Amino acid sequence: MKDNKPLLLDGAMGTVLQRMGVKPGENGELLSLTRPQWIEDIHRAYIRAGSRVIYTNTFGANRRKLRDSGYTVQEVIGRAVSIARGAAEGSGARVALDIGPIGALLAPLGTLAFEEACDIFAEIVEAGRDADLIVIETMTDLQEARAALLAAKEHSGLPVYVTMSFDSTGRTFTGCSLASMAHVLEGLGADAIGINCSVGPRDMLPMIVELKRHTRLPVIAKPNAGMPDPVDGHYDLDPAGFAAVMAEIIRAGADMVGGCCGTAPEYLETLNRLPASERTDSGYQAQSFVCTSTVPMPLNGVRVIGERINPTGKKRLQQALLEDDLDYVADLAIQQMDAGADILDVNVGCPGVDEVSLLPRAVKAIQAVADIHLQMDSANPDALEAALRVYCGKAIINSVSGKEESLRRILPMAKKYGAAVVGLALDENGLPDSAEKRYAIAEKILNRALALGIPREDVFIDCLALTVSAQQDQARETLEAISRVTRQLGLQTVLGVSNISFGLPERPVMTRTFLAAAMQSGLSLPILNPNQREMLDTVAAFRVLSGEDRESRAYVARFAGETPRTIQETVSLTLDEAIYRGLKGEAGKLARQALAHSGEMELVENRLIPALDRVGTDYEKGAVFLPQLLSAAQAAQAVFEQIRESLLSKGEARLSKGRIVMATVQGDIHDIGKNIVKTVLENYGYSVLDLGRDVPPEQVVQAVREERIGLVGLSALMTTTLPAMEETVRQLRALPDRPAVMVGGAVVTADYASRIGADYYARDARDSVNIARKVLG
């Protein structure tokens, strides 16, 4: 295409293969070996249509999906790349190694370890080394996208494009936001990012607009051909209709465009004929930013960093770390988040612990239960890197200093993992006694970071506070340094404010007074104890006076109807709260205690089920996402284990509310959604017989007959396997004592469920629970 038009990618591979006669459930990647001419013909057709980048037929070519095929990853990918290269020869089109999801959820959502995922992706990257670039696509879990991108960067020098799949709400299946995707993947070194699959171009348009606001990178748009009809599988946009909406996406700023499910060469040909058009300004503005997968947070005001996960002077935390009690660490995280912290500093360094092993495990434990931003705090660079590697989000490193050794070791780490970094205003000569010298060190750190390609907005400076009881004049120097760094360098500033009052009586009075002065000087990231209510009260008041809290809304909400208090007391954790928060160990312990004075069924009905209902309701409202839902389910599982042990000790039968058969229908190999539903149902007390994936109708019927099942759940992700779902329902309805049937999956609708005779349509895991209650009680 012309230089002033977007780069044209290709369209769907699977759609065209189905037209050519490939059967549902057949492994399309193996066609590179068994029917290479088909694959080459598809590539050539897209090139004739105008595609300048063609994706290899390797979307599912990973060791897990190929393990029963008789072929190796190297054989399948090597042949696919060779076919694409042959098709592209002489055309000027580039060959992209196509990498799709592994097909298993990464921990903590599932059981696949992060490093195992990295290894699976590394094998793919190395096998596809003869491609021109790498495309990682159709990701729904930001952590899996991170693993793939890290593997690509560590095992190849090729450009890497990454696209994720979002539904019409602007969230992925796991709750990842567009802003979080943009900041994390750009930070990790992606060369282009974007959106593919799941939705048609009309739903994708506002997402492209939003994505452009959050990235400097080229943006990719590869939507489906509208939405599929559940019966015949046909998508609702023809080539002309598809191109008409894609023209709007191009005007919105998409730099690379193509098609996904339902598109074919004729769609790309129509797209290629679109005239060049002016593009609107993206509205991108560089700003400091941190995020988890689901919660993006711009740093455009005062943001509080909680300091309590630091063992210095805290004997109980030291004991927990030595005993590997990460539930205690997670509980500290929750307490601080509930008190109002925006970011948590995480430091696990104390004598007797292996910090390199412990810090990443602490990070994972916190992320499993608290959706809050983290600052990795360690003097050990290896521990910092281990934590950054597993953190799903954009983190802060605490810290680098002006020392040469520190600059050489820490800054490249920040660059590799896309983290923001706190620079301490000290060097080989120690902490300077003047604001001017601290400013000079801050400027040195900034310049070194910029030289490595770290954006200015990712550099924060800690001007350091000393105790005023020993060095009274240093308080003024610290405040002046903060003011200069803020005004002249335009950087975020960090400060551990409680240091100022060490050794003095009534420390909170001195600390909060200094905090107010520091914020007035420009401090934007105070490190403090958020469970000392006066500190957060001071921040709340400052946000009003600075104009950050418009119309004093947050201030009024904080204080309306409250009795003044000095210290916010930590409330003892209840069983209900432990389940809701996903604190597995704590939930099990509290369940044991509760069983000493409560019956098993009483505990289930009055404590466990209401807690799960609460998280389920919040999930439906979009207040929590899949990670929190599954964490609560895992905590509930720990409670059920205690209940089962109690019943067994009394010689009573295993607790069960009823039996359910679940299966992914014949021809469909996708089972992540089914597995999530199974987990949630089991934790509501139902026994689930999971028949797996690609299950023939006869196998489902046999299980129902043999096990006397009252409810069957069927899942399908592919439109081509919907006939198998219909046939399974038909055979179940023919039984003399037939069970109720619920159906669900990405391509299933309520209308389709009714048309095929299913009793219920389950939109998600929460719906499945409600259906089970209705059918089984």
Side-chain angles (χ1 to χ4, degrees):
M1 300 180 79
K2 296 178 182 178
D3 289 344
N4 61 345
K5 295 173 69 175
L7 179 69
L8 191 65
L9 309 175
D10 66 5
M13 174 67 72
T15 297
V16 183
L17 285 173
Q18 287 165 19
R19 287 183 185 178
M20 299 171 79
V22 175
K23 296 177 181 178
E26 189 172 345
N27 192 326
E29 286 76 19
L30 298 185
L31 295 174
S32 298
L33 298 165
T34 60
R35 292 188 178 272
Q37 193 59 52
W38 283 14
I39 305 303
E40 184 172 345
D41 289 347
I42 294 170
H43 287 322
R44 289 187 185 279
Y46 279 121
I47 292 170
R48 286 194 300 272
S51 296
R52 309 313 299 152
V53 176
I54 54 172
Y55 289 24
T56 57
N57 182 38
T58 54
F59 178 82
N62 64 69
R63 72 172 70 139
R64 290 175 67 97
K65 291 184 177 179
L66 293 176
R67 60 188 166 195
D68 297 324
S69 70
Y71 295 99
T72 66
V73 169
Q74 291 73 20
E75 288 172 322
V76 174
I77 292 180
R79 187 70 182 107
V81 173
S82 176
I83 292 170
R85 278 226 163 276
E89 187 175 358
S91 69
R94 290 183 291 162
V95 173
L97 173 65
D98 188 12
I99 301 177
I102 293 169
L105 285 172
L106 273 66
L109 300 181
T111 58
L112 183 63
F114 181 78
E115 288 303 333
E116 184 182 352
C118 289
D119 190 56
I120 290 171
F121 288 124
E123 183 179 32
I124 298 168
V125 169
E126 290 175 353
R129 59 186 175 276
D130 292 333
D132 297 310
L133 60 109
I134 296 168
V135 170
I136 299 161
E137 65 164 335
T138 324
M139 293 289 171
T140 57
D141 180 1
L142 184 61
Q143 190 71 325
E144 185 173 13
R146 290 184 70 254
L149 182 52
L150 280 169
K153 288 294 182 179
E154 290 173 348
H155 293 268
S156 170
L158 298 176
V160 186
Y161 302 168
V162 188
T163 57
M164 297 185 70
S165 295
F166 294 79
D167 63 26
S168 58
T169 68
R171 295 273 181 176
T172 70
F173 170 65
T174 59
C176 178
S177 71
L178 286 156
S180 293
M181 177 196 76
H183 288 274
V184 170
L185 298 183
E186 181 172 341
L188 285 172
D191 296 281
I193 60 174
I195 307 167
N196 81 290
C197 206
S198 290
V199 297
R202 180 60 62 193
D203 284 336
M204 190 175 287
L205 175 59
M207 299 185 209
I208 294 297
V209 173
E210 173 72 10
L211 187 56
K212 291 288 288 186
R213 294 194 191 106
H214 289 281
T215 184
R216 291 168 271 231
L217 296 177
V219 166
I220 300 167
K222 222 167 181 270
N224 294 340
M227 297 304 293
D229 184 285
V231 177
D232 60 24
H234 292 153
Y235 285 76
D236 61 8
L237 286 179
D238 62 14
F242 180 79
V245 188
M246 288 301 292
E248 297 182 50
I249 285 179
I250 292 167
R251 284 194 291 273
D255 303 284
M256 305 179 194
V257 295
C260 204
C261 299
T263 64
E266 58 268 26
Y267 283 77
L268 274 295
E269 186 176 2
T270 307
L271 195 55
N272 192 34
R273 290 199 297 264
L274 288 174
S277 60
E278 282 192 25
R279 305 189 197 183
T280 58
D281 178 34
S282 69
Y284 173 78
Q285 290 185 334
Q287 63 177 327
S288 299
F289 204 97
V290 293
C291 65
T292 66
S293 174
T294 59
V295 182
M297 185 175 74
L299 303 183
N300 51 11
V302 175
R303 297 289 181 265
V304 172
I305 302 176
E307 68 180 8
R308 293 183 62 199
I309 305 176
N310 186 321
T312 303
K314 301 183 181 74
K315 291 184 179 180
R316 177 65 187 92
L317 178 56
Q318 291 173 12
Q319 178 187 354
L321 296 176
L322 289 168
E323 295 173 354
D324 206 37
D325 180 5
L326 295 180
D327 271 355
Y328 181 76
V329 175
D331 189 32
L332 286 178
I334 289 171
Q335 290 177 28
Q336 294 181 91
M337 181 174 71
D338 288 350
D342 302 293
I343 303 166
L344 300 183
D345 188 84
V346 184
N347 184 318
V348 297
C350 68
V353 305
D354 178 0
E355 199 175 350
V356 177
S357 168
L358 186 56
L359 185 56
R361 288 190 291 113
V363 166
K364 287 190 283 189
I366 293 168
Q367 285 212 291
V369 299
D371 210 0
I372 190 167
H373 315 92
L374 300 185
Q375 174 172 282
M376 315 307 175
D377 185 357
S378 176
N380 185 330
D382 292 334
L384 286 173
E385 179 153 21
L388 290 170
R389 192 167 182 84
V390 301
Y391 180 68
C392 187
K394 178 169 183 171
I396 305 171
I397 297 173
N398 188 13
S399 55
V400 68
S401 72
K403 297 178 181 179
E404 281 301 316
E405 181 181 359
S406 177
L407 292 166
R408 286 196 300 267
R409 186 70 191 273
I410 302 300
L411 290 182
M413 187 189 307
K415 172 63 177 173
K416 176 178 179 178
Y417 292 100
V421 61
V422 176
L424 303 182
L426 56 80
D427 58 16
E428 287 84 355
N429 297 316
L431 176 63
D433 57 5
S434 70
E436 182 178 0
K437 291 177 182 177
R438 294 184 203 182
Y439 175 85
I441 295 173
E443 192 172 34
K444 173 185 175 181
I445 293 170
L446 172 62
N447 289 335
R448 291 288 288 272
L450 293 173
L452 279 176
I454 297 172
R456 173 183 290 267
E457 60 268 20
D458 284 350
V459 180
F460 309 161
I461 297 297
D462 186 340
C463 294
L464 300 168
L466 299 174
T467 175
V468 73
S469 63
Q471 295 174 285
Q472 191 168 351
D473 61 332
Q474 284 301 298
R476 290 194 303 274
E477 297 298 330
T478 296
L479 296 175
E480 175 60 24
I482 290 171
S483 179
R484 289 194 61 186
V485 168
T486 302
R487 292 194 325 269
Q488 295 173 233
L489 296 181
L491 303 182
Q492 301 282 338
T493 50
V494 181
L495 194 69
V497 294
S498 62
N499 294 341
I500 199 75
S501 61
F502 187 78
L504 291 174
E506 294 296 328
R507 289 190 63 187
V509 175
M510 179 62 69
T511 301
R512 68 174 182 263
T513 304
F514 180 67
L515 170 62
M519 290 189 292
Q520 182 60 34
S521 296
L523 176 64
S524 54
L525 294 166
I527 302 175
L528 49 82
N529 181 354
N531 293 98
Q532 290 185 327
R533 186 176 175 86
E534 304 102 315
M535 300 304 157
L536 271 293
D537 289 347
T538 302
V539 172
F542 179 81
R543 285 170 171 160
V544 173
L545 298 175
S546 67
E548 179 185 344
D549 181 7
R550 304 304 300 174
E551 299 178 3
S552 308
R553 291 180 181 178
Y555 183 87
V556 172
R558 180 176 180 84
F559 292 103
E562 287 204 1
T563 302
R565 291 177 289 173
T566 55
I567 300 290
Q568 179 170 312
E569 298 293 338
T570 300
V571 179
S572 297
L573 193 68
T574 64
L575 175 59
D576 317 57
E577 195 67 17
I579 295 169
Y580 180 84
R581 297 291 193 176
L583 293 170
K584 187 175 179 180
E586 196 69 20
K589 182 178 74 175
L590 290 168
R592 283 196 302 274
Q593 295 172 1
L595 285 167
H597 52 77
S598 299
E600 290 83 6
M601 188 54 69
E602 179 187 352
L603 198 64
V604 170
E605 295 295 341
N606 297 335
R607 308 291 295 281
L608 190 148
I609 298 301
L612 286 174
D613 281 347
R614 177 185 166 201
V615 74
T617 299
D618 285 351
Y619 176 72
E620 282 184 332
K621 294 189 297 187
V624 301
F625 300 97
L626 185 61
Q628 292 78 32
L629 182 68
L630 290 182
S631 291
Q634 290 163 2
Q637 187 65 40
V639 175
F640 262 110
E641 289 302 322
Q642 296 302 318
I643 292 170
R644 287 173 186 136
E645 287 183 17
S646 178
L647 289 170
L648 287 172
S649 70
K650 299 174 182 178
E652 298 181 22
R654 183 173 182 268
L655 180 67
S656 175
K657 290 184 159 188
R659 304 200 68 197
I660 303 169
V661 159
M662 296 203 66
T664 301
V665 299
Q666 188 171 28
D668 202 319
I669 60 171
H670 303 88
D671 63 356
I672 289 176
K674 171 184 65 65
N675 293 343
I676 291 168
V677 172
K678 173 193 171 186
T679 299
V680 175
L681 284 170
E682 286 178 334
N683 288 291
Y684 268 86
Y686 300 100
S687 298
V688 178
L689 176 58
D690 184 4
L691 301 181
R693 57 191 183 183
D694 191 16
V695 182
E698 296 76 16
Q699 187 178 342
V700 178
V701 170
Q702 181 182 356
V704 169
R705 281 175 170 162
E706 293 178 354
E707 303 292 336
R708 300 178 63 83
I709 298 297
L711 176 63
V712 174
L714 300 175
S715 172
L717 189 70
M718 303 161 60
T719 56
T720 53
T721 61
L722 289 175
M725 176 177 278
E726 184 174 1
E727 174 60 19
T728 306
V729 173
R730 187 192 68 77
Q731 291 191 26
L732 289 170
R733 287 177 63 86
L735 292 174
D737 188 16
R738 76 177 188 87
V741 180
M742 62 179 175
V743 297
V747 296
V748 180
T749 64
D751 179 61
Y752 178 71
S754 176
R755 274 195 270 171
I756 66 173
D759 299 287
Y760 301 99
Y761 165 65
R763 183 184 56 186
D764 51 28
R766 175 71 171 163
D767 270 2
S768 299
V769 170
N770 291 335
I771 293 165
R773 281 173 162 168
K774 187 179 296 184
V775 175
L776 303 175

